[in-house]
């Protein structure tokens, strides 16, 4: 599984590149993990409801094709896009979701942060607060989009939305529990290693 580090990149061209990659892949195309950060942006999923955007400000809202409701991306948040051919791997999307959640949980545990998944709500939680979000798109037997782990960022824009459609849901980040907080690059190296291990079928 190839790891591609894209750095801090605008959301919209990255979204278009994901769709192009998925549409053009063949049976021999290697699966990839794209490691990125984004400038401030709200992304609204296919079933997204406008009422979950509580405050209209200068942060752009991009309509996209993943599942789920609205969420926020910004600098200091680690985003990993999972470009995976799940048919070739003879697995199920539920396995991929579990692998993503467990990879995040194990990464946080390595820093002494006890986290867990919630069977009723996708994502990873610490002390009832959401620290990581998941959102996937399934097309042509493959998966794209992925996960977002809050590391050391401005969480205030999350108060402008109902995160992932949940009113009153509080968000957390690694910096709330660690002083000093590790860099995005350091956490990315640990998380992608866990993903490579857990996504192997």
């Amino acid at each position: 599984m190839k790891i591609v580090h894209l750095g801090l990149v605008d959301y919209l061209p990255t979204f278009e590149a994901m769709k192009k990659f998925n549409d053009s892949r063949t049976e021999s195309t290697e699966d990839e993990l794209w490691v990125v950060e984004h400038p401030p942006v709200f992304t609204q999923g296919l079933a997204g409801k406008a009422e979950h955007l509580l405050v209209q400000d200068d942060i752009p809202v991009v309509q996209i094709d993943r599942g789920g409701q609205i969420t926020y991306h910004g600098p200091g948040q680690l985003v990993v896009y999972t470009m995976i051919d799940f048919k070739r791997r003879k697995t199920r999307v539920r396995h991929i979701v579990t692998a993503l959640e467990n990879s995040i949980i194990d990464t946080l545990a390595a820093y002494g942060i006890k986290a867990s998944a919630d069977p009723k709500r996708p994502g990873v939680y610490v002390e009832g607060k959401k620290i990581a979000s998941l959102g996937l798109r399934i097309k042509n037997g493959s998966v794209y989009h992925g996960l977002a782990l809050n590391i050391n960022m401005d969480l205030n824009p999350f108060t402008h939305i109902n995160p992932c459609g949940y009113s009153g849901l509080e968000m957390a980040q690694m910096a709330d529990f660690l002083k000093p907080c590790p860099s995005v690059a350091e956490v990315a190296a640990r998380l992608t290693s866990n993903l490579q291990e857990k996504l192997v079928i």
Side-chain angles (χ1 to χ4, degrees), residues 118-187:
D118 183 337
K120 298 179 181 178
R121 302 181 297 181
V124 175
Y125 300 81
V126 179
E127 298 176 0
K129 299 179 181 180
K130 193 168 193 176
I131 197 169
S133 302
L134 306 181
L136 300 175
R137 165 71 170 174
I138 303 160
K139 186 179 179 183
N140 301 329
S142 297
V143 170
Y144 58 105
H145 293 290
L147 64 88
L149 172 60
N150 304 333
I151 297 178
N152 191 3
M153 63 187 298
D154 178 10
L155 293 177
N156 186 61
F158 281 109
T159 67
H160 299 180
I161 61 175
N162 289 326
C164 305
Y166 293 101
S167 177
L169 177 62
E170 292 186 72
M171 304 298 291
Q173 59 181 331
M174 293 178 67
D176 295 340
F177 309 98
L178 299 173
K179 305 294 183 195
C181 184
S183 67
V184 172
E186 179 186 329
V187 178

Side-chain angles (χ1 to χ4, degrees), residues 37 54 73-74 78 80 92 108 123 125 140 151 169-170 200:
E37 290 178 75
L54 307 176
H73 299 301
L78 170 60
V80 181
R92 294 172 295 129
L108 293 171
Y125 300 81
N140 301 329
I151 297 178
L169 177 62
E170 292 186 72
V200 170

